[in-house]
Amino acid sequence: MLSSNMAAPATQTVIPASDTGLTMELLELELSLDGFTTGPDGFAAHVRAAAAAIDGALLFELPASGLVADCDRIAVLRIPKDGGAVMATIFACLETGGNTIRIETPDETTADLKNFAEAFVDVLQRI
């Protein structure tokens, strides 16, 4: 007698990268920033090189001044979005202690910084 307790085949659900907010450019940037060891003095140069490797750009960097938790410095970056010509603004944050860089996407607490960065880009494009 055959058992009717056969399990149904498993199905996989693939979540597109755009739904998770993780793009190939962002993943490549995070991998480039992983293993940062030069401390605060090498922060801007390291972030600039990592952004350039994915056709992005470091716009500017500044003290975090409490804008982002557990962060000493913020580098504002523009990176390609989904391999296209559209650019996204993100932040590379040098964590307290100066040995780790993490990526932050703009949210309500950093909306003013994002707006400033986009205005900065607009001015540069008009020059």
Side-chain angles (χ1 to χ4, degrees), residues 43 63-74 92-104:
F43 173 63
S65 302
L67 189 59
V68 176
D70 300 323
C71 177
D72 286 340
R73 301 201 62 78
I74 301 172
C93 301
L94 180 63
E95 291 187 353
T96 305
N99 292 321
T100 305
I101 300 172
R102 72 176 187 270
I103 299 297
E104 296 274 334

Side-chain angles (χ1 to χ4, degrees), residues 30-38 46 99-101:
E30 286 183 344
L31 290 172
S32 295
L33 294 175
D34 192 36
F36 172 74
T37 60
T38 59
H46 190 78
N99 292 321
T100 305
I101 300 172

